Amino acid sequence: MSGNKGRLVLNHSTHIPGLLAILGKLIHYPGIQTVTPGVISRVKGHAPHLKLRISVPIRGGFKVLARSGKTVQEVFIVTTLSSDELVYTITQIQA
């Protein structure tokens, strides 16, 4: 991890429990510029543990879905990392 730190944008008052801790670690990785949690929704399926999954590419990065229980939250990550590099980084944090 380098001395350059990304920015965590906190523009929502609610977040999935445990998500901010993971995002706080993510911004310390090289190539991560901005992390912005977004909309929270309810879903039909049930995820027993908090899990982050890359959804779609966005301009300059990726949209990631954070799922826990019956709740999903969008997270927008602006990064220079490729999709595979971001998956690897997220896996390292969640391990």
Side-chain angles (χ1 to χ4, degrees), residues 16 39-43 65-74:
I16 292 178
V39 176
I40 295 179
S41 305
R42 302 288 286 173
V43 290
L65 298 178
R67 290 202 50 194
S68 180
K70 292 183 175 283
T71 308
V72 64
Q73 184 163 10
E74 296 176 344

Side-chain angles (χ1 to χ4, degrees), residues 4-73:
N4 293 341
K5 184 175 128 177
R7 188 169 65 104
L8 179 58
V9 179
L10 299 176
N11 56 359
H12 283 269
S13 60
T14 56
H15 303 91
I16 292 178
L19 180 61
L20 288 184
I22 290 173
L23 299 183
K25 292 177 187 174
L26 185 62
I27 62 172
H28 292 283
Y29 278 78
I32 303 293
Q33 295 158 351
T34 306
V35 178
T36 308
V39 176
I40 295 179
S41 305
R42 302 288 286 173
V43 290
K44 289 185 179 190
H46 179 79
H49 304 290
L50 178 60
K51 179 105 173 112
L52 274 67
R53 182 177 59 84
I54 294 179
S55 174
V56 294
I58 59 171
R59 188 176 312 150
F62 298 93
K63 179 168 92 171
V64 174
L65 298 178
R67 290 202 50 194
S68 180
K70 292 183 175 283
T71 308
V72 64
Q73 184 163 10

